[in-house]
Every structure is written in structure tokens, then in C-alpha cells.
Amino acid sequence: MPPISSIPSPALSTKACDLELLKLRIGGMIALTAVVSYLSMAERVNIAHLFWLTLAMVLGSASSAVFNHWYDRDIDRMMERTANRPLAKRGLNNSSHVLWLAAGLLLSGVSIAVWFFNPIVAIHLFLGAFFYGVVYTVWLKRRTWMNIVLGGLAGSFAVMAGAASVNPGLCALPMLLALVLFFWTPSHFWSLAIHLKEDYQKAGVPMLPVVVGEQKAARYIFLNTILLVSASLLPWYFGQLGMIYLAGALLSGGLFLMENWRLLRTPTREMGWRNFLGSMRYLGVLFLAIVADVTF
């Protein structure tokens, strides 16, 4: 890891250790993914279980987020979007506090998963944090454009954790939904990478648009989204979900492919951002379709 520049760096203060370190928006998305997976499997909803599942997933996500802030503080300083992150802005020479915080958050999440559910939930929670914190941040992010493809498995493990909180055995539906999340992640993050290409280029991070350019990256996104929409039909094809889900998958998939086509024709920063937002709308509609299908 490149050395941190010698900026005056007091011990980690409560101001530096603020909520921004936890990346709660990402944690909320991870928790929502697990909750939707829980709802797709549960015959009866237990509100207490939903609470503890949400808390465990947020803690697990927060642990990897804190580690990501710590490990990436050098390149975060180089990018406009991340230059004001707490650790990038203040710097830390003695950073053991941050690593202990990350470890404590992960241990808390895993403990809740074991205590209120079962070890399988804890394993999936741990693997999700490991893939984001170590596989993506440490091993892949600075080395290859495939970084987000494998690192994005964190979302798939959230699906498996939510399902395992109901049934720890391997079941077809969560595995199919985990596949959908696997294909969703590249379309989501590569779109953001087109919008932030100059930032990643400045920091030397080989995100796909930096390596192959915006036009070719848009082509990869479009092809990946075709795989995504195809994968989203598998839960209906194999009889795991019904017609309400199929309608939602077709509607959201069709709209997202239209956004992808616009990006392919005009691969600009603005269109990258628009496709990034479109990916979140797509996932939101798909989640609503899952919940509506299993409810009605």
C-alpha cells in the first residue's frame, strides 16, 4: 500500500469516527436485500427477526466500510468525490483504533447472527464483509477492471444471509436471487465509474471505463444488463415466483435496458449517472415485485 503523506494527524477523534465511516446508505441497501430475501422465504413474518437481521447486516456492512475508509485513505485524497472523507481528510499515523472499530462491528454483527439465527447466517454475513473489505478493496480494486465483478459478491451473500435466517439449507429461490444481484452489481458500478472516470484515472484505479474507455464500457454494461434481465426471469421460469414477479421483472428490466441503450448511444458522464440511478430504480422495482408476489 502506498505510504500516507505526512499530514499532522492527531489520534482518531470522535469527529473523525463519525457516521460517514459506516457508509450507512450502502449498509441500508445490504440490509434491505437481506430483508427482501427473508420475506421471500418466510411463511410468517417475525418483526423481531427483521429487526435483528437488519441490525446484523448493517453492522457487517459497516465493518467493511470502516476498513475500506482506512485502507483507501491514500487514494481517497486524490479524488474529488472522496477527498473529504474523515480519514482521507485528517490522516492517521496511529490507525489501530480504526481497525479495532472495524473488527468490533464485524464481531457484533456475527454474534447477533449466531445468537438470534444460526451459524449459516453468520457465515454469509462474514463472507459479504470479507468480499467487500478484502477481496474488492485490498486484492482487486487497484489491480484489475474485474474488481467490482468479484467484489460485488457482497450483495449476493446478503441474499443468502436473509434466506438462511429462515431456512439454513440451500434453497433454489435465494440462489437465483443471488445470481441476479451478481449481475446487477457490474451494471450499477460501471455506470457510476463512467460518471467518475476522471477521479478514478487520477487515483490510478483501473475501473472499466478507465481501462477501455466510455464507449466500450457502455457496451459491456449493455451486454451485462441483458444477462441481468435474463437471470431475473429464472425465479419465474423455475416456478419459484409467480406472475406478479414476472410482470415486475419484465417492466423494470425493459426500462433499464432502455436506459442502457441511451448510455450506449451517448456514453457521457451525465448518461453514466443517469444509468446509475436507473440501476437503483430497477432493483427497487424488482424488490417490490418479489414482496408483492409472495404476499398476494
Side-chain angles (χ1 to χ4, degrees), residues 19 23-24 33 39 50-51 56 64 75 82 87 94 104 137 140 147 160 163 206 231 237 239 254 274 278 280:
L19 291 179
K23 296 188 180 181
L24 290 179
T33 301
L39 294 174
L50 285 180
F51 171 79
S64 58
I75 59 174
T82 57
L87 303 189
N94 180 9
T137 301
L140 300 177
N147 48 25
M160 301 303 291
Y237 180 80
R274 181 171 173 173
M280 292 191 287

Side-chain angles (χ1 to χ4, degrees), residues 67 80 99 113 118 125 127 136-137 144 151 175 177 184-185 200 202 208 211 217 250-251 256 276 284:
F67 181 83
E80 182 180 346
L99 296 180
N118 55 70
L125 186 153
L127 287 174
Y136 169 67
T137 301
T144 172
M175 293 179 69
L177 294 179
W184 174 80
T185 303
Y200 286 122
K202 191 187 308 179
L208 182 64
V211 175
L250 289 173
L251 174 63
F256 191 33
F276 171 76

Side-chain angles (χ1 to χ4, degrees), residues 165-184:
S165 67
V166 179
N167 182 351
L170 282 178
C171 300
L173 180 56
M175 293 179 69
L176 293 172
L177 294 179
L179 183 64
V180 173
L181 262 292
F182 175 77
F183 284 119
W184 174 80

Side-chain angles (χ1 to χ4, degrees), residues 66-84:
V66 170
F67 181 83
N68 175 268
H69 271 280
W70 173 80
Y71 191 85
D72 278 351
R73 64 197 188 279
D74 58 331
I75 59 174
D76 280 348
R77 290 197 187 103
M78 303 177 190
M79 299 191 288
E80 182 180 346
R81 180 177 68 99
T82 57
N84 289 320

Side-chain angles (χ1 to χ4, degrees), residues 208-268:
L208 182 64
V210 174
V211 175
V212 303
E214 294 93 329
Q215 182 66 63
K216 192 172 285 189
R219 196 175 306 148
Y220 276 102
I221 292 169
F222 186 75
L223 293 173
N224 184 79
T225 301
I226 291 175
L227 295 175
L228 165 63
V229 175
S230 300
S232 74
L233 301 181
L234 294 179
W236 168 80
Y237 180 80
F238 287 107
Q240 300 297 308
L241 292 171
M243 295 303 296
I244 295 177
Y245 170 78
L246 176 62
L250 289 173
L251 174 63
S252 59
L255 292 174
F256 191 33
L257 281 171
M258 287 174 59
E259 290 285 356
N260 278 239
W261 180 250
R262 294 189 185 101
L263 175 64
L264 186 59
R265 296 187 62 172
T266 314
T268 61

Side-chain angles (χ1 to χ4, degrees), residues 272-287:
W273 178 250
R274 181 171 173 173
N275 208 58
F276 171 76
L277 296 177
S279 70
M280 292 191 287
R281 286 193 296 270
Y282 166 80
L283 195 62
V285 173
L286 201 68
F287 281 174

